[in-house]
Amino acid sequence: GAGVSQSPSNKVTEKGKDVELRCDPISGHTALYWYRQSLGQGLEFLIYFQGNSAPDKSGLPSDRFSAERTGGSVSTLTIQRTQQEDSAVYLCASSLDGGGLAGTGQYFGPGTRLLVL
Amino acid sequence: AQSVTQLGSHVSVSEGALVLLRCNYSSSVPPYLFWYVQYPNQGLQLLLKYTTGATLVKGINGFEAEFKKSETSFHLTKPSAHMSDAAEYFCAVRPSWGNMLTFGGGTRLMVKP
């Protein structure tokens, strides 16, 4: 079946503009995660959704970052007033469940490479 | 708080040689443990995971890892490296009650012909 898909694959924007990044999880996966991968910081957790709710937003770096998920499926990560330090690869992952006992793996999409000029 | 340390940001082996990528974690209780591989310009692919049960875990592409609680380690091995194994490898942990993955800094594996 189809894996996690993300769009756009690449995004170049000017400092101060808003951007929206989209993630389509694997069908049937109730948990969805956003991570950021940058040269200086490695892989960082941003936010976790279980269904449409986000019980863990602890990784969002500032209030310029927000995310939503609708219909228990597609998620959008929005970065307002982008800064150069926001340049990174934004990775989305999904899993069958969130916490719980199953310990299911998270399956990652190809990422969106964001460059803020 | 959990943390993951991958010893060696770069590892170089000859084709056919043993691959050993090291991962140590710190956690108050044994977490779930994962290894991911990332090929250039691609996302992360799950190689293998440890949750409970047998401490030696086999994954895809001939890789395996052993959970050693006493050493808080989860090293990744492969008996014989192949050119196609060249990639970046990430060790990650997740608490059994939680959801977010905490990643190590990654190890770039280079395979020489």
Side-chain angles (χ1 to χ4, degrees):
Chain A
V4 177
S5 61
Q6 293 184 246
S7 60
S9 53
N10 290 280
K11 176 73 176 179
V12 180
T13 190
E14 293 179 348
K15 178 181 172 181
K17 301 277 190 182
D18 297 352
V19 295
E20 284 190 352
L21 311 180
R22 177 187 166 104
C23 171
D24 273 285
I26 293 172
S27 177
H29 280 193
T30 62
L32 185 147
Y33 313 78
W34 284 97
Y35 293 86
R36 179 168 71 174
Q37 186 175 26
S38 57
L39 279 176
Q41 302 298 323
L43 275 155
E44 305 171 276
F45 167 81
L46 297 178
I47 188 169
Y48 154 63
F49 286 92
Q50 182 61 42
N52 290 336
S53 65
D56 190 346
K57 305 179 183 180
S58 61
L60 293 178
S62 76
D63 59 7
R64 295 186 295 104
F65 287 72
S66 63
E68 65 175 15
R69 188 179 185 196
T70 55
S73 181
V74 172
S75 176
T76 303
L77 177 69
T78 302
I79 309 173
Q80 296 179 308
R81 304 182 302 282
T82 52
Q83 303 294 310
Q84 288 180 331
E85 60 263 29
D86 299 334
S87 296
V89 177
Y90 289 82
L91 293 166
C92 176
S94 70
S95 67
L96 274 173
D97 70 358
L101 302 177
T104 54
Q106 295 178 17
Y107 295 87
F108 284 77
T112 293
R113 190 173 300 273
L114 175 65
L115 177 62
V116 182
L117 300 176
Chain B
Q2 298 185 315
S3 67
V4 181
T5 302
Q6 291 184 238
L7 189 62
S9 58
H10 293 78
V11 169
S12 181
V13 301
S14 297
E15 191 173 18
L18 171 71
V19 176
L20 171 60
L21 304 181
R22 299 178 187 275
C23 172
N24 287 87
Y25 67 91
S26 66
S27 175
S28 55
V29 294
Y32 296 148
L33 297 154
F34 305 83
W35 274 100
Y36 285 86
V37 60
Q38 186 176 35
Y39 297 100
N41 299 315
Q42 295 187 26
L44 298 166
Q45 181 182 4
L46 181 64
L47 268 181
L48 50 78
K49 63 178 180 176
Y50 169 79
T51 54
T52 59
T55 56
L56 181 63
V57 180
K58 294 186 185 298
I60 62 172
N61 302 339
F63 285 93
E64 61 183 37
E66 186 171 12
F67 168 58
K68 292 187 176 180
K69 182 179 176 180
S70 62
E71 299 178 8
T72 60
S73 70
F74 191 56
H75 302 329
L76 182 71
T77 60
K78 182 174 180 178
S80 176
H82 193 271
M83 296 297 290
S84 61
D85 295 327
E88 188 149 22
Y89 292 78
F90 293 92
C91 181
V93 302
R94 199 198 89 185
S96 55
W97 66 89
N99 47 72
M100 60 176 275
L101 289 172
T102 300
F103 286 90
T107 297
R108 185 167 299 277
L109 175 66
M110 294 166 283
V111 182
K112 299 176 292 186

